[in-house]
Amino acid sequence: MTETSADRVVIVTGAGSGIGRAIAVAFAQSGARVLGVGRRQAALHETAKRHPNIATLTADLHDRDAAQTVVDAAFARWQRLDVLVNNAGATAVMPLAETSADRIAELFTLNVTAPSLLAHAALPHLRRSRGTIVNVSSTYGHRPLPGAAHYAASKAALEQLTRSWALELAADGVRVNALAPGPTESEALTAAGLPDTVVEQIKQDEATRIPLGRRGEPDEVATWILHLADPSATWLTGQVLTIDGGLELL
Ligand SMILES: NC(=O)c1ccc[n+]([C@@H]2O[C@H](COP(=O)([O-])OP(=O)(O)OC[C@H]3O[C@@H](n4cnc5c(N)ncnc54)[C@H](OP(=O)(O)O)[C@@H]3O)[C@@H](O)[C@H]2O)c1
Protein backbone atom coordinates (compact mmCIF):
# COMPACT_ATOMS: atom_id res chain seq x y z
CA MET A 1 0.00 0.00 0.00
CA THR A 2 1.31 3.45 -0.81
CA GLU A 3 1.23 5.60 2.27
CA THR A 4 -0.20 9.09 1.86
CA SER A 5 -0.17 12.06 4.19
CA ALA A 6 -3.87 11.55 4.83
CA ASP A 7 -3.43 8.06 6.31
CA ARG A 8 -1.07 9.10 9.01
CA VAL A 9 -1.16 9.43 12.78
CA VAL A 10 0.94 12.25 14.19
CA ILE A 11 1.97 13.22 17.72
CA VAL A 12 2.77 16.92 18.19
CA THR A 13 4.11 18.01 21.58
CA GLY A 14 3.59 21.59 22.71
CA ALA A 15 0.47 21.82 20.56
CA GLY A 16 -1.32 24.39 22.74
CA SER A 17 0.44 27.46 21.36
CA GLY A 18 2.85 28.98 18.90
CA ILE A 19 4.66 26.73 16.47
CA GLY A 20 3.16 23.52 17.88
CA ARG A 21 -0.41 24.70 17.36
CA ALA A 22 0.42 25.62 13.75
CA ILE A 23 2.01 22.20 13.21
CA ALA A 24 -1.02 20.37 14.63
CA VAL A 25 -3.43 22.35 12.45
CA ALA A 26 -1.29 21.94 9.32
CA PHE A 27 -1.08 18.15 9.74
CA ALA A 28 -4.83 17.96 10.44
CA GLN A 29 -5.56 20.00 7.32
CA SER A 30 -3.43 17.56 5.32
CA GLY A 31 -5.81 14.81 6.47
CA ALA A 32 -3.65 13.30 9.20
CA ARG A 33 -5.00 12.43 12.64
CA VAL A 34 -3.19 14.41 15.30
CA LEU A 35 -2.63 13.98 19.02
CA GLY A 36 -1.68 17.37 20.46
CA VAL A 37 0.12 17.30 23.79
CA GLY A 38 0.82 19.94 26.45
CA ARG A 39 0.17 20.85 30.07
CA ARG A 40 -2.64 23.40 29.66
CA GLN A 41 -5.95 21.81 28.81
CA ALA A 42 -7.56 25.12 27.81
CA ALA A 43 -4.75 25.93 25.38
CA LEU A 44 -4.99 22.47 23.80
CA HIS A 45 -8.75 22.86 23.58
CA GLU A 46 -8.24 26.07 21.56
CA THR A 47 -6.01 24.13 19.16
CA ALA A 48 -8.50 21.26 18.87
CA LYS A 49 -11.25 23.74 17.96
CA ARG A 50 -9.29 24.57 14.79
CA HIS A 51 -9.79 21.12 13.21
CA PRO A 52 -11.84 17.99 13.98
CA ASN A 53 -8.83 15.71 13.29
CA ILE A 54 -7.03 17.04 16.38
CA ALA A 55 -7.37 15.13 19.66
CA THR A 56 -5.53 16.29 22.76
CA LEU A 57 -3.82 14.89 25.82
CA THR A 58 -2.65 16.88 28.82
CA ALA A 59 0.74 15.71 30.01
CA ASP A 60 3.76 17.29 31.65
CA LEU A 61 6.81 16.11 29.74
CA HIS A 62 8.96 16.73 32.80
CA ASP A 63 7.39 13.55 34.19
CA ARG A 64 9.35 10.44 33.33
CA ASP A 65 6.29 8.34 32.52
CA ALA A 66 4.71 10.96 30.28
CA ALA A 67 6.39 9.83 27.05
CA GLN A 68 5.01 6.29 27.23
CA THR A 69 1.59 7.62 28.24
CA VAL A 70 1.52 9.94 25.21
CA VAL A 71 2.55 7.25 22.73
CA ASP A 72 0.15 4.70 24.25
CA ALA A 73 -2.71 7.21 23.96
CA ALA A 74 -2.10 7.77 20.24
CA PHE A 75 -1.82 4.04 19.58
CA ALA A 76 -4.90 3.18 21.64
CA ARG A 77 -6.91 5.70 19.67
CA TRP A 78 -5.74 4.97 16.12
CA GLN A 79 -3.74 1.68 16.29
CA ARG A 80 -0.75 3.19 14.53
CA LEU A 81 1.82 5.96 14.70
CA ASP A 82 3.62 7.50 11.74
CA VAL A 83 5.09 10.82 12.83
CA LEU A 84 6.52 12.13 16.10
CA VAL A 85 7.08 15.89 16.20
CA ASN A 86 9.18 16.81 19.22
CA ASN A 87 8.16 20.46 19.36
CA ALA A 88 7.60 21.20 23.08
CA GLY A 89 10.51 23.15 24.44
CA ALA A 90 11.44 26.14 26.51
CA THR A 91 14.01 28.87 26.40
CA ALA A 92 15.80 30.27 29.42
CA VAL A 93 17.65 33.52 29.77
CA MET A 94 20.53 32.33 31.96
CA PRO A 95 23.86 34.16 31.91
CA LEU A 96 26.70 32.07 33.29
CA ALA A 97 26.82 34.21 36.44
CA GLU A 98 23.20 33.18 37.20
CA THR A 99 23.42 29.53 36.15
CA SER A 100 22.19 26.88 38.58
CA ALA A 101 22.05 23.09 38.51
CA ASP A 102 18.28 23.07 38.93
CA ARG A 103 17.63 25.38 35.98
CA ILE A 104 20.02 23.45 33.73
CA ALA A 105 18.31 20.19 34.70
CA GLU A 106 14.84 21.64 34.10
CA LEU A 107 15.78 22.94 30.65
CA PHE A 108 17.51 19.76 29.55
CA THR A 109 14.70 17.56 30.88
CA LEU A 110 12.23 19.27 28.56
CA ASN A 111 14.45 20.05 25.56
CA VAL A 112 16.59 16.89 25.45
CA THR A 113 15.38 14.09 27.75
CA ALA A 114 11.67 14.32 26.87
CA PRO A 115 12.24 14.14 23.07
CA SER A 116 14.54 11.17 23.71
CA LEU A 117 11.97 9.31 25.82
CA LEU A 118 9.21 10.08 23.32
CA ALA A 119 11.35 8.77 20.46
CA HIS A 120 12.16 5.67 22.54
CA ALA A 121 8.49 5.00 23.27
CA ALA A 122 7.46 5.67 19.67
CA LEU A 123 10.16 3.51 18.12
CA PRO A 124 8.34 0.14 17.90
CA HIS A 125 5.41 1.86 16.16
CA LEU A 126 7.63 3.92 13.86
CA ARG A 127 9.53 0.80 12.86
CA ARG A 128 6.25 -0.86 11.90
CA SER A 129 4.98 2.13 9.92
CA ARG A 130 8.43 3.12 8.57
CA GLY A 131 7.57 6.45 10.12
CA THR A 132 9.54 9.55 10.88
CA ILE A 133 10.69 11.87 13.68
CA VAL A 134 10.99 15.64 13.35
CA ASN A 135 12.76 17.47 16.17
CA VAL A 136 12.30 21.20 16.60
CA SER A 137 15.68 22.80 17.22
CA SER A 138 16.56 26.48 16.74
CA THR A 139 18.97 28.66 14.79
CA TYR A 140 20.77 28.67 18.13
CA GLY A 141 21.23 24.92 17.99
CA HIS A 142 24.21 25.66 15.78
CA ARG A 143 25.04 29.27 16.65
CA PRO A 144 26.23 30.73 19.97
CA LEU A 145 23.71 32.56 22.14
CA PRO A 146 25.33 34.67 24.86
CA GLY A 147 23.08 34.95 27.90
CA ALA A 148 21.16 31.77 27.03
CA ALA A 149 24.02 29.32 26.46
CA HIS A 150 22.17 26.34 27.92
CA TYR A 151 19.20 26.85 25.61
CA ALA A 152 21.63 26.83 22.68
CA ALA A 153 23.40 23.79 24.12
CA SER A 154 20.12 21.91 24.60
CA LYS A 155 19.20 22.50 20.96
CA ALA A 156 22.71 21.53 19.82
CA ALA A 157 22.16 18.27 21.71
CA LEU A 158 18.83 17.77 19.91
CA GLU A 159 20.53 18.30 16.54
CA GLN A 160 23.20 15.75 17.39
CA LEU A 161 20.54 13.28 18.54
CA THR A 162 18.84 13.86 15.18
CA ARG A 163 21.95 12.92 13.21
CA SER A 164 22.81 9.93 15.41
CA TRP A 165 19.27 8.52 15.41
CA ALA A 166 19.08 9.02 11.63
CA LEU A 167 22.01 6.66 11.22
CA GLU A 168 20.82 4.28 13.93
CA LEU A 169 17.33 3.94 12.44
CA ALA A 170 18.14 4.16 8.74
CA ALA A 171 18.11 0.38 8.34
CA ASP A 172 14.54 0.37 9.68
CA GLY A 173 13.45 2.97 7.13
CA VAL A 174 12.72 5.44 9.95
CA ARG A 175 13.81 8.95 8.92
CA VAL A 176 14.89 11.53 11.50
CA ASN A 177 15.28 15.21 10.69
CA ALA A 178 15.19 18.53 12.53
CA LEU A 179 13.85 21.97 11.80
CA ALA A 180 15.69 24.97 13.19
CA PRO A 181 13.44 28.03 13.27
CA GLY A 182 14.68 31.53 13.84
CA PRO A 183 12.76 34.01 16.02
CA THR A 184 9.07 33.22 15.50
CA GLU A 185 5.89 34.67 17.02
CA SER A 186 4.84 32.48 19.95
CA GLU A 187 4.48 32.44 23.73
CA ALA A 188 8.10 31.36 24.24
CA LEU A 189 9.54 34.64 25.55
CA THR A 190 6.62 35.21 27.91
CA ALA A 191 6.79 31.57 29.05
CA ALA A 192 10.46 32.20 29.92
CA GLY A 193 9.23 34.65 32.54
CA LEU A 194 10.33 37.85 30.81
CA PRO A 195 8.30 41.02 31.42
CA ASP A 196 6.26 42.39 28.48
CA THR A 197 8.56 45.39 27.95
CA VAL A 198 11.62 43.14 27.66
CA VAL A 199 9.74 40.77 25.34
CA GLU A 200 8.83 43.68 23.05
CA GLN A 201 12.42 44.96 23.05
CA ILE A 202 13.81 41.52 22.19
CA LYS A 203 11.25 41.14 19.38
CA GLN A 204 12.16 44.52 17.90
CA ASP A 205 15.89 43.78 18.10
CA GLU A 206 15.41 40.40 16.45
CA ALA A 207 13.27 41.82 13.64
CA THR A 208 15.98 44.40 12.92
CA ARG A 209 18.71 41.76 12.75
CA ILE A 210 16.82 39.33 10.49
CA PRO A 211 17.70 39.92 6.81
CA LEU A 212 14.08 39.48 5.69
CA GLY A 213 13.21 42.24 8.17
CA ARG A 214 10.74 40.51 10.48
CA ARG A 215 10.17 37.61 12.86
CA GLY A 216 8.57 34.48 11.46
CA GLU A 217 4.97 33.35 11.77
CA PRO A 218 4.24 29.85 13.15
CA ASP A 219 2.60 28.80 9.86
CA GLU A 220 5.81 29.61 8.00
CA VAL A 221 7.63 27.14 10.24
CA ALA A 222 4.92 24.47 10.34
CA THR A 223 4.80 24.08 6.57
CA TRP A 224 8.44 22.91 6.55
CA ILE A 225 7.79 20.37 9.30
CA LEU A 226 5.19 18.85 6.99
CA HIS A 227 7.71 18.75 4.16
CA LEU A 228 10.31 16.99 6.32
CA ALA A 229 7.73 14.45 7.52
CA ASP A 230 6.13 13.90 4.13
CA PRO A 231 6.23 10.29 2.91
CA SER A 232 7.52 11.59 -0.43
CA ALA A 233 10.73 12.82 1.24
CA THR A 234 11.97 9.25 1.01
CA TRP A 235 15.71 9.99 0.80
CA LEU A 236 15.97 12.77 3.39
CA THR A 237 17.36 11.88 6.79
CA GLY A 238 19.74 13.28 9.40
CA GLN A 239 19.30 16.87 8.21
CA VAL A 240 18.74 20.11 10.10
CA LEU A 241 16.79 22.62 8.04
CA THR A 242 17.06 26.24 9.15
CA ILE A 243 14.05 28.50 8.51
CA ASP A 244 14.95 31.90 9.87
CA GLY A 245 14.58 34.72 7.35
CA GLY A 246 18.31 34.53 6.63
CA LEU A 247 19.53 35.12 10.19
CA GLU A 248 21.98 32.22 10.01
CA LEU A 249 23.85 33.89 7.15
CA LEU A 250 25.07 36.77 9.31
N1 LIG B 1 9.47 31.00 18.84
C1 LIG B 1 10.74 31.03 18.51
O1 LIG B 1 11.31 32.10 18.26
C2 LIG B 1 11.53 29.75 18.40
C3 LIG B 1 12.73 29.77 17.71
C4 LIG B 1 13.47 28.60 17.60
C5 LIG B 1 12.99 27.44 18.15
N2 LIG B 1 11.82 27.45 18.84
C6 LIG B 1 11.37 26.18 19.41
O2 LIG B 1 10.07 25.91 18.94
C7 LIG B 1 9.40 25.06 19.85
C8 LIG B 1 8.01 25.62 20.12
O3 LIG B 1 8.14 26.84 20.83
P1 LIG B 1 7.23 28.11 20.59
O4 LIG B 1 8.11 29.20 20.15
O5 LIG B 1 6.03 27.78 19.80
O6 LIG B 1 6.88 28.48 22.13
P2 LIG B 1 5.59 28.30 22.99
O7 LIG B 1 4.44 29.05 22.39
O8 LIG B 1 6.02 28.66 24.38
O9 LIG B 1 5.28 26.75 22.89
C9 LIG B 1 5.90 25.78 23.68
C10 LIG B 1 4.88 24.70 23.97
O10 LIG B 1 5.49 23.66 24.73
C11 LIG B 1 4.58 23.27 25.74
N3 LIG B 1 5.32 22.82 26.91
C12 LIG B 1 6.19 23.56 27.65
N4 LIG B 1 6.61 22.84 28.69
C13 LIG B 1 5.97 21.62 28.62
C14 LIG B 1 5.96 20.47 29.43
N5 LIG B 1 6.70 20.41 30.55
N6 LIG B 1 5.18 19.43 29.06
C15 LIG B 1 4.42 19.50 27.95
N7 LIG B 1 4.40 20.58 27.14
C16 LIG B 1 5.16 21.62 27.48
C17 LIG B 1 3.78 24.52 26.08
O11 LIG B 1 2.47 24.20 26.52
P3 LIG B 1 2.08 24.14 28.07
O12 LIG B 1 2.69 25.35 28.72
O13 LIG B 1 0.59 24.13 28.06
O14 LIG B 1 2.66 22.87 28.57
C18 LIG B 1 3.70 25.25 24.75
O15 LIG B 1 2.50 24.96 24.07
C19 LIG B 1 10.30 24.98 21.09
O16 LIG B 1 11.04 23.78 21.06
C20 LIG B 1 11.23 26.16 20.91
O17 LIG B 1 12.46 25.99 21.56
C21 LIG B 1 11.08 28.57 18.97
Side-chain angles (χ1 to χ4, degrees):
M1 185 187 84
T2 307
E3 186 198 350
T4 68
S5 303
D7 297 324
R8 296 185 301 168
V9 172
V10 182
I11 291 173
V12 180
T13 63
S17 62
I19 295 169
R21 173 176 286 166
I23 296 168
V25 172
F27 269 111
Q29 286 172 342
S30 80
R33 294 154 290 176
V34 179
L35 184 67
V37 179
R39 289 168 303 181
R40 292 166 299 159
Q41 195 165 18
L44 291 172
H45 185 62
E46 278 305 308
T47 301
K49 280 198 323 204
R50 312 273 172 109
H51 201 286
N53 282 12
I54 302 174
T56 64
L57 180 73
T58 50
D60 184 343
L61 295 174
H62 283 116
D63 296 341
R64 250 173 218 201
D65 298 336
Q68 193 64 53
T69 303
V70 167
V71 170
D72 288 351
F75 190 74
R77 195 177 181 102
W78 293 298
Q79 293 77 54
R80 62 180 293 147
L81 176 62
D82 300 274
V83 184
L84 168 65
V85 183
N86 277 318
N87 166 76
T91 189
V93 175
M94 186 163 60
L96 186 55
E98 295 163 22
T99 296
S100 73
D102 283 349
R103 289 189 71 200
I104 296 170
E106 190 180 2
L107 194 64
F108 272 70
T109 297
L110 182 62
N111 289 6
V112 181
T113 308
S116 305
L117 296 180
L118 281 155
H120 169 79
L123 186 54
H125 304 302
L126 296 178
R127 281 188 165 133
R128 244 189 320 273
S129 61
R130 296 177 79 80
T132 189
I133 299 170
V134 183
N135 294 319
V136 178
S137 178
S138 160
T139 304
Y140 298 110
H142 44 273
R143 291 192 54 165
L145 187 55
H150 289 84
Y151 173 71
S154 72
K155 293 301 190 182
L158 194 57
E159 293 189 3
Q160 197 63 327
L161 291 172
T162 300
R163 288 185 277 267
S164 300
W165 290 341
L167 276 183
E168 198 174 313
L169 304 182
D172 297 317
V174 175
R175 301 183 302 105
V176 187
N177 293 288
L179 193 82
T184 305
E185 293 305 331
S186 78
E187 296 176 7
L189 294 171
T190 306
L194 298 170
D196 289 351
T197 48
V198 175
V199 169
E200 275 318 304
Q201 191 57 54
I202 291 174
K203 286 185 175 185
Q204 276 179 28
D205 292 348
E206 286 176 341
T208 310
R209 278 192 296 122
I210 293 169
L212 284 178
R214 62 178 177 83
R215 291 161 55 85
E217 294 296 333
D219 290 348
E220 294 175 296
V221 174
T223 188
W224 291 101
I225 300 266
L226 260 71
H227 286 309
L228 292 178
D230 196 90
S232 67
T234 40
W235 218 33
L236 181 73
T237 197
Q239 299 305 303
V240 179
L241 177 65
T242 301
I243 302 290
D244 68 356
L247 181 61
E248 187 176 70
L249 300 172
L250 299 178

